[in-house]
mmCIF file of all heavy atoms in Angstrom:
data_model
loop_
_atom_site.group_PDB
_atom_site.id
_atom_site.type_symbol
_atom_site.label_atom_id
_atom_site.label_comp_id
_atom_site.label_asym_id
_atom_site.label_seq_id
_atom_site.Cartn_x
_atom_site.Cartn_y
_atom_site.Cartn_z
ATOM 1 N N GLY A 48 55.677 -8.433 -66.924
ATOM 2 C CA GLY A 48 54.431 -7.705 -66.718
ATOM 3 C C GLY A 48 54.231 -6.493 -67.608
ATOM 4 O O GLY A 48 53.189 -5.857 -67.554
ATOM 5 N N GLY A 49 55.227 -6.155 -68.399
ATOM 6 C CA GLY A 49 55.084 -5.021 -69.309
ATOM 7 C C GLY A 49 55.346 -3.685 -68.642
ATOM 8 O O GLY A 49 55.857 -3.607 -67.524
ATOM 9 N N THR A 50 54.975 -2.628 -69.331
ATOM 10 C CA THR A 50 55.220 -1.251 -68.903
ATOM 11 C C THR A 50 54.483 -0.936 -67.607
ATOM 12 O O THR A 50 53.325 -1.307 -67.436
ATOM 13 C CB THR A 50 54.779 -0.275 -70.016
ATOM 14 O OG1 THR A 50 55.526 -0.583 -71.197
ATOM 15 C CG2 THR A 50 55.006 1.165 -69.630
ATOM 16 N N LYS A 51 55.174 -0.255 -66.714
ATOM 17 C CA LYS A 51 54.587 0.151 -65.429
ATOM 18 C C LYS A 51 54.928 1.606 -65.157
ATOM 19 O O LYS A 51 56.017 2.073 -65.482
ATOM 20 C CB LYS A 51 55.160 -0.687 -64.267
ATOM 21 C CG LYS A 51 54.957 -2.171 -64.392
ATOM 22 C CD LYS A 51 53.561 -2.572 -64.051
ATOM 23 C CE LYS A 51 53.421 -4.102 -64.127
ATOM 24 N NZ LYS A 51 52.086 -4.544 -63.900
ATOM 25 N N ARG A 52 53.991 2.301 -64.557
ATOM 26 C CA ARG A 52 54.291 3.630 -64.043
ATOM 27 C C ARG A 52 55.105 3.485 -62.772
ATOM 28 O O ARG A 52 55.078 2.445 -62.124
ATOM 29 C CB ARG A 52 52.998 4.402 -63.763
ATOM 30 C CG ARG A 52 52.277 4.785 -65.021
ATOM 31 C CD ARG A 52 51.094 5.642 -64.710
ATOM 32 N NE ARG A 52 50.482 6.090 -65.953
ATOM 33 C CZ ARG A 52 49.341 6.721 -66.012
ATOM 34 N NH1 ARG A 52 48.673 7.004 -64.898
ATOM 35 N NH2 ARG A 52 48.852 7.097 -67.172
ATOM 36 N N PHE A 53 55.811 4.553 -62.420
ATOM 37 C CA PHE A 53 56.696 4.505 -61.261
ATOM 38 C C PHE A 53 55.945 4.049 -60.009
ATOM 39 O O PHE A 53 56.410 3.163 -59.288
ATOM 40 C CB PHE A 53 57.349 5.876 -61.029
ATOM 41 C CG PHE A 53 58.354 5.863 -59.916
ATOM 42 C CD1 PHE A 53 59.664 5.499 -60.160
ATOM 43 C CD2 PHE A 53 57.984 6.208 -58.620
ATOM 44 C CE1 PHE A 53 60.599 5.473 -59.138
ATOM 45 C CE2 PHE A 53 58.914 6.184 -57.586
ATOM 46 C CZ PHE A 53 60.220 5.814 -57.853
ATOM 47 N N GLY A 54 54.787 4.638 -59.740
ATOM 48 C CA GLY A 54 54.016 4.286 -58.549
ATOM 49 C C GLY A 54 53.568 2.834 -58.547
ATOM 50 O O GLY A 54 53.600 2.163 -57.516
ATOM 51 N N GLU A 55 53.142 2.350 -59.707
ATOM 52 C CA GLU A 55 52.742 0.939 -59.828
ATOM 53 C C GLU A 55 53.912 0.019 -59.516
ATOM 54 O O GLU A 55 53.760 -0.967 -58.791
ATOM 55 C CB GLU A 55 52.276 0.631 -61.253
ATOM 56 C CG GLU A 55 50.990 1.262 -61.687
ATOM 57 C CD GLU A 55 50.702 0.949 -63.151
ATOM 58 O OE1 GLU A 55 51.549 1.250 -64.019
ATOM 59 O OE2 GLU A 55 49.610 0.398 -63.415
ATOM 60 N N LEU A 56 55.050 0.377 -60.063
ATOM 61 C CA LEU A 56 56.252 -0.436 -59.857
ATOM 62 C C LEU A 56 56.661 -0.440 -58.389
ATOM 63 O O LEU A 56 57.030 -1.482 -57.848
ATOM 64 C CB LEU A 56 57.379 0.104 -60.740
ATOM 65 C CG LEU A 56 58.576 -0.774 -61.012
ATOM 66 C CD1 LEU A 56 58.195 -2.175 -61.445
ATOM 67 C CD2 LEU A 56 59.463 -0.121 -62.054
ATOM 68 N N SER A 57 56.545 0.701 -57.750
ATOM 69 C CA SER A 57 56.880 0.790 -56.330
ATOM 70 C C SER A 57 55.937 -0.073 -55.488
ATOM 71 O O SER A 57 56.374 -0.821 -54.617
ATOM 72 C CB SER A 57 56.825 2.252 -55.873
ATOM 73 O OG SER A 57 57.174 2.355 -54.517
ATOM 74 N N ARG A 58 54.636 0.022 -55.760
ATOM 75 C CA ARG A 58 53.658 -0.771 -55.009
ATOM 76 C C ARG A 58 53.824 -2.266 -55.264
ATOM 77 O O ARG A 58 53.820 -3.063 -54.333
ATOM 78 C CB ARG A 58 52.227 -0.349 -55.367
ATOM 79 C CG ARG A 58 51.769 0.919 -54.686
ATOM 80 C CD ARG A 58 50.282 1.180 -54.917
ATOM 81 N NE ARG A 58 49.937 1.328 -56.330
ATOM 82 C CZ ARG A 58 50.107 2.434 -57.046
ATOM 83 N NH1 ARG A 58 50.622 3.502 -56.498
ATOM 84 N NH2 ARG A 58 49.752 2.476 -58.322
ATOM 85 N N GLU A 59 53.971 -2.630 -56.536
ATOM 86 C CA GLU A 59 54.063 -4.051 -56.890
ATOM 87 C C GLU A 59 55.329 -4.700 -56.347
ATOM 88 O O GLU A 59 55.318 -5.851 -55.936
ATOM 89 C CB GLU A 59 54.010 -4.207 -58.413
ATOM 90 C CG GLU A 59 53.756 -5.610 -58.863
ATOM 91 C CD GLU A 59 53.448 -5.719 -60.343
ATOM 92 O OE1 GLU A 59 52.865 -4.795 -60.916
ATOM 93 O OE2 GLU A 59 53.814 -6.758 -60.921
ATOM 94 N N SER A 60 56.405 -3.942 -56.308
ATOM 95 C CA SER A 60 57.681 -4.491 -55.861
ATOM 96 C C SER A 60 57.888 -4.367 -54.353
ATOM 97 O O SER A 60 58.676 -5.100 -53.774
ATOM 98 C CB SER A 60 58.836 -3.789 -56.574
ATOM 99 O OG SER A 60 58.884 -2.422 -56.206
ATOM 100 N N GLY A 61 57.209 -3.398 -53.729
ATOM 101 C CA GLY A 61 57.418 -3.142 -52.307
ATOM 102 C C GLY A 61 58.703 -2.376 -52.035
ATOM 103 O O GLY A 61 59.191 -2.357 -50.905
ATOM 104 N N ILE A 62 59.250 -1.739 -53.053
ATOM 105 C CA ILE A 62 60.500 -0.991 -52.916
ATOM 106 C C ILE A 62 60.179 0.472 -52.653
ATOM 107 O O ILE A 62 59.306 1.046 -53.305
ATOM 108 C CB ILE A 62 61.350 -1.108 -54.202
ATOM 109 C CG1 ILE A 62 61.595 -2.567 -54.553
ATOM 110 C CG2 ILE A 62 62.671 -0.360 -54.053
ATOM 111 C CD1 ILE A 62 62.219 -2.773 -55.929
ATOM 112 N N SER A 63 60.894 1.078 -51.719
ATOM 113 C CA SER A 63 60.673 2.491 -51.433
ATOM 114 C C SER A 63 60.997 3.322 -52.668
ATOM 115 O O SER A 63 61.874 2.954 -53.472
ATOM 116 C CB SER A 63 61.549 2.951 -50.263
ATOM 117 O OG SER A 63 62.896 3.059 -50.679
ATOM 118 N N PRO A 64 60.306 4.443 -52.862
ATOM 119 C CA PRO A 64 60.546 5.277 -54.044
ATOM 120 C C PRO A 64 62.010 5.701 -54.215
ATOM 121 O O PRO A 64 62.525 5.712 -55.336
ATOM 122 C CB PRO A 64 59.639 6.486 -53.815
ATOM 123 C CG PRO A 64 58.519 5.951 -52.981
ATOM 124 C CD PRO A 64 59.168 4.934 -52.078
ATOM 125 N N ARG A 65 62.693 6.022 -53.136
ATOM 126 C CA ARG A 65 64.089 6.469 -53.236
ATOM 127 C C ARG A 65 64.983 5.359 -53.780
ATOM 128 O O ARG A 65 65.784 5.566 -54.698
ATOM 129 C CB ARG A 65 64.585 6.934 -51.863
ATOM 130 C CG ARG A 65 66.016 7.468 -51.874
ATOM 131 C CD ARG A 65 66.461 7.932 -50.496
ATOM 132 N NE ARG A 65 66.601 6.869 -49.531
ATOM 133 C CZ ARG A 65 67.661 6.057 -49.442
ATOM 134 N NH1 ARG A 65 68.665 6.192 -50.278
ATOM 135 N NH2 ARG A 65 67.718 5.124 -48.524
ATOM 136 N N ILE A 66 64.837 4.162 -53.238
ATOM 137 C CA ILE A 66 65.649 3.027 -53.680
ATOM 138 C C ILE A 66 65.252 2.623 -55.102
ATOM 139 O O ILE A 66 66.112 2.339 -55.939
ATOM 140 C CB ILE A 66 65.514 1.830 -52.714
ATOM 141 C CG1 ILE A 66 66.013 2.202 -51.317
ATOM 142 C CG2 ILE A 66 66.230 0.595 -53.259
ATOM 143 C CD1 ILE A 66 67.490 2.552 -51.250
ATOM 144 N N LEU A 67 63.952 2.606 -55.382
ATOM 145 C CA LEU A 67 63.480 2.238 -56.714
ATOM 146 C C LEU A 67 64.062 3.176 -57.768
ATOM 147 O O LEU A 67 64.523 2.729 -58.823
ATOM 148 C CB LEU A 67 61.951 2.257 -56.765
ATOM 149 C CG LEU A 67 61.325 1.905 -58.110
ATOM 150 C CD1 LEU A 67 61.740 0.515 -58.569
ATOM 151 C CD2 LEU A 67 59.805 2.018 -58.027
ATOM 152 N N SER A 68 64.062 4.451 -57.476
ATOM 153 C CA SER A 68 64.612 5.437 -58.407
ATOM 154 C C SER A 68 66.083 5.158 -58.707
ATOM 155 O O SER A 68 66.517 5.174 -59.869
ATOM 156 C CB SER A 68 64.445 6.843 -57.832
ATOM 157 O OG SER A 68 64.966 7.792 -58.706
ATOM 158 N N LYS A 69 66.846 4.865 -57.672
ATOM 159 C CA LYS A 69 68.273 4.562 -57.825
ATOM 160 C C LYS A 69 68.479 3.303 -58.665
ATOM 161 O O LYS A 69 69.297 3.274 -59.584
ATOM 162 C CB LYS A 69 68.906 4.397 -56.439
ATOM 163 C CG LYS A 69 70.360 3.961 -56.430
ATOM 164 C CD LYS A 69 70.794 3.659 -55.004
ATOM 165 C CE LYS A 69 71.997 2.790 -54.898
ATOM 166 N NZ LYS A 69 71.895 1.464 -55.458
ATOM 167 N N GLU A 70 67.728 2.248 -58.343
ATOM 168 C CA GLU A 70 67.867 0.976 -59.055
ATOM 169 C C GLU A 70 67.465 1.125 -60.529
ATOM 170 O O GLU A 70 68.136 0.603 -61.420
ATOM 171 C CB GLU A 70 67.023 -0.115 -58.388
ATOM 172 C CG GLU A 70 67.431 -0.431 -56.961
ATOM 173 C CD GLU A 70 68.763 -1.143 -56.876
ATOM 174 O OE1 GLU A 70 68.848 -2.303 -57.301
ATOM 175 O OE2 GLU A 70 69.728 -0.524 -56.396
ATOM 176 N N LEU A 71 66.372 1.847 -60.785
ATOM 177 C CA LEU A 71 65.921 2.065 -62.158
ATOM 178 C C LEU A 71 66.958 2.847 -62.956
ATOM 179 O O LEU A 71 67.202 2.548 -64.127
ATOM 180 C CB LEU A 71 64.574 2.792 -62.180
ATOM 181 C CG LEU A 71 63.365 1.935 -61.809
ATOM 182 C CD1 LEU A 71 62.158 2.822 -61.535
ATOM 183 C CD2 LEU A 71 63.063 0.911 -62.894
ATOM 184 N N HIS A 72 67.565 3.825 -62.316
ATOM 185 C CA HIS A 72 68.604 4.618 -62.988
ATOM 186 C C HIS A 72 69.775 3.722 -63.407
ATOM 187 O O HIS A 72 70.273 3.815 -64.536
ATOM 188 C CB HIS A 72 69.073 5.755 -62.075
ATOM 189 C CG HIS A 72 70.158 6.586 -62.676
ATOM 190 N ND1 HIS A 72 69.921 7.461 -63.716
ATOM 191 C CD2 HIS A 72 71.467 6.663 -62.402
ATOM 192 C CE1 HIS A 72 71.068 8.037 -64.058
ATOM 193 N NE2 HIS A 72 72.021 7.567 -63.274
ATOM 194 N N GLU A 73 70.193 2.836 -62.517
ATOM 195 C CA GLU A 73 71.298 1.927 -62.829
ATOM 196 C C GLU A 73 70.911 0.947 -63.941
ATOM 197 O O GLU A 73 71.709 0.662 -64.837
ATOM 198 C CB GLU A 73 71.747 1.173 -61.578
ATOM 199 C CG GLU A 73 72.449 2.073 -60.579
ATOM 200 C CD GLU A 73 72.832 1.361 -59.286
ATOM 201 O OE1 GLU A 73 72.833 0.107 -59.260
ATOM 202 O OE2 GLU A 73 73.123 2.065 -58.301
ATOM 203 N N LEU A 74 69.671 0.448 -63.905
ATOM 204 C CA LEU A 74 69.207 -0.457 -64.957
ATOM 205 C C LEU A 74 69.104 0.265 -66.297
ATOM 206 O O LEU A 74 69.396 -0.306 -67.351
ATOM 207 C CB LEU A 74 67.859 -1.080 -64.568
ATOM 208 C CG LEU A 74 67.910 -2.112 -63.441
ATOM 209 C CD1 LEU A 74 66.510 -2.431 -62.942
ATOM 210 C CD2 LEU A 74 68.635 -3.364 -63.891
ATOM 211 N N GLU A 75 68.710 1.520 -66.245
ATOM 212 C CA GLU A 75 68.640 2.331 -67.466
ATOM 213 C C GLU A 75 70.040 2.558 -68.041
ATOM 214 O O GLU A 75 70.243 2.468 -69.254
ATOM 215 C CB GLU A 75 67.956 3.662 -67.156
ATOM 216 C CG GLU A 75 67.651 4.507 -68.362
ATOM 217 C CD GLU A 75 66.962 5.814 -68.029
ATOM 218 O OE1 GLU A 75 66.822 6.166 -66.830
ATOM 219 O OE2 GLU A 75 66.579 6.502 -68.984
ATOM 220 N N MET A 76 71.003 2.831 -67.179
ATOM 221 C CA MET A 76 72.383 3.026 -67.623
ATOM 222 C C MET A 76 72.928 1.770 -68.314
ATOM 223 O O MET A 76 73.731 1.862 -69.232
ATOM 224 C CB MET A 76 73.298 3.394 -66.455
ATOM 225 C CG MET A 76 73.155 4.814 -66.001
ATOM 226 S SD MET A 76 74.266 5.333 -64.660
ATOM 227 C CE MET A 76 75.319 3.993 -64.338
ATOM 228 N N ASN A 77 72.479 0.603 -67.868
ATOM 229 C CA ASN A 77 72.924 -0.662 -68.452
ATOM 230 C C ASN A 77 72.013 -1.128 -69.592
ATOM 231 O O ASN A 77 72.091 -2.288 -70.016
ATOM 232 C CB ASN A 77 73.028 -1.741 -67.369
ATOM 233 C CG ASN A 77 74.269 -1.565 -66.541
ATOM 234 O OD1 ASN A 77 75.373 -1.687 -67.058
ATOM 235 N ND2 ASN A 77 74.112 -1.246 -65.271
ATOM 236 N N GLN A 78 71.154 -0.239 -70.056
ATOM 237 C CA GLN A 78 70.280 -0.472 -71.213
ATOM 238 C C GLN A 78 69.322 -1.640 -71.032
ATOM 239 O O GLN A 78 68.985 -2.348 -71.978
ATOM 240 C CB GLN A 78 71.120 -0.642 -72.479
ATOM 241 C CG GLN A 78 71.983 0.555 -72.775
ATOM 242 C CD GLN A 78 72.855 0.372 -73.995
ATOM 243 O OE1 GLN A 78 72.766 -0.612 -74.716
ATOM 244 N NE2 GLN A 78 73.720 1.342 -74.235
ATOM 245 N N LEU A 79 68.880 -1.835 -69.791
ATOM 246 C CA LEU A 79 67.912 -2.889 -69.503
ATOM 247 C C LEU A 79 66.505 -2.343 -69.304
ATOM 248 O O LEU A 79 65.535 -3.094 -69.378
ATOM 249 C CB LEU A 79 68.354 -3.689 -68.274
ATOM 250 C CG LEU A 79 69.667 -4.448 -68.443
ATOM 251 C CD1 LEU A 79 70.131 -5.018 -67.115
ATOM 252 C CD2 LEU A 79 69.533 -5.536 -69.488
ATOM 253 N N VAL A 80 66.405 -1.033 -69.057
ATOM 254 C CA VAL A 80 65.125 -0.391 -68.788
ATOM 255 C C VAL A 80 65.023 0.889 -69.620
ATOM 256 O O VAL A 80 65.988 1.635 -69.738
ATOM 257 C CB VAL A 80 64.990 -0.063 -67.273
ATOM 258 C CG1 VAL A 80 63.815 0.855 -66.992
ATOM 259 C CG2 VAL A 80 64.849 -1.343 -66.472
ATOM 260 N N ASN A 81 63.824 1.096 -70.180
ATOM 261 C CA ASN A 81 63.506 2.359 -70.849
ATOM 262 C C ASN A 81 62.681 3.221 -69.918
ATOM 263 O O ASN A 81 61.786 2.712 -69.230
ATOM 264 C CB ASN A 81 62.678 2.115 -72.119
ATOM 265 C CG ASN A 81 63.494 1.561 -73.246
ATOM 266 O OD1 ASN A 81 64.635 1.946 -73.450
ATOM 267 N ND2 ASN A 81 62.906 0.632 -73.983
ATOM 268 N N ARG A 82 62.973 4.507 -69.904
ATOM 269 C CA ARG A 82 62.228 5.483 -69.099
ATOM 270 C C ARG A 82 61.530 6.438 -70.049
ATOM 271 O O ARG A 82 62.156 7.004 -70.938
ATOM 272 C CB ARG A 82 63.200 6.252 -68.205
ATOM 273 C CG ARG A 82 62.571 7.283 -67.329
ATOM 274 C CD ARG A 82 63.662 7.968 -66.491
ATOM 275 N NE ARG A 82 63.108 8.864 -65.517
ATOM 276 C CZ ARG A 82 62.958 10.163 -65.708
ATOM 277 N NH1 ARG A 82 63.326 10.720 -66.841
ATOM 278 N NH2 ARG A 82 62.439 10.912 -64.766
ATOM 279 N N LYS A 83 60.221 6.603 -69.865
ATOM 280 C CA LYS A 83 59.447 7.491 -70.730
ATOM 281 C C LYS A 83 58.693 8.487 -69.848
ATOM 282 O O LYS A 83 57.896 8.089 -68.997
ATOM 283 C CB LYS A 83 58.464 6.692 -71.576
ATOM 284 C CG LYS A 83 57.594 7.548 -72.470
ATOM 285 C CD LYS A 83 56.593 6.693 -73.225
ATOM 286 C CE LYS A 83 55.616 7.570 -73.967
ATOM 287 N NZ LYS A 83 54.511 6.786 -74.542
ATOM 288 N N VAL A 84 58.962 9.770 -70.046
ATOM 289 C CA VAL A 84 58.253 10.827 -69.330
ATOM 290 C C VAL A 84 57.038 11.193 -70.162
ATOM 291 O O VAL A 84 57.157 11.574 -71.326
ATOM 292 C CB VAL A 84 59.157 12.056 -69.098
ATOM 293 C CG1 VAL A 84 58.392 13.152 -68.379
ATOM 294 C CG2 VAL A 84 60.406 11.667 -68.315
ATOM 295 N N CYS A 85 55.853 11.048 -69.572
ATOM 296 C CA CYS A 85 54.606 11.318 -70.283
ATOM 297 C C CYS A 85 54.177 12.756 -70.035
ATOM 298 O O CYS A 85 54.253 13.251 -68.909
ATOM 299 C CB CYS A 85 53.517 10.360 -69.817
ATOM 300 S SG CYS A 85 53.955 8.635 -70.047
#
Side-chain angles (χ1 to χ4, degrees):
T50 301
K51 302 283 183 184
R52 290 185 175 172
F53 185 86
E55 291 176 304
L56 197 48
S57 181
R58 281 188 300 280
E59 194 169 328
S60 65
I62 305 170
S63 74
R65 182 179 67 80
I66 298 297
L67 179 59
S68 180
K69 175 188 160 299
E70 298 290 291
L71 285 166
H72 179 72
E73 290 177 16
L74 289 168
E75 188 179 7
M76 284 182 4
N77 283 296
Q78 301 178 6
L79 296 171
V80 168
N81 286 321
R82 180 180 187 265
K83 178 183 172 189
V84 179
C85 302

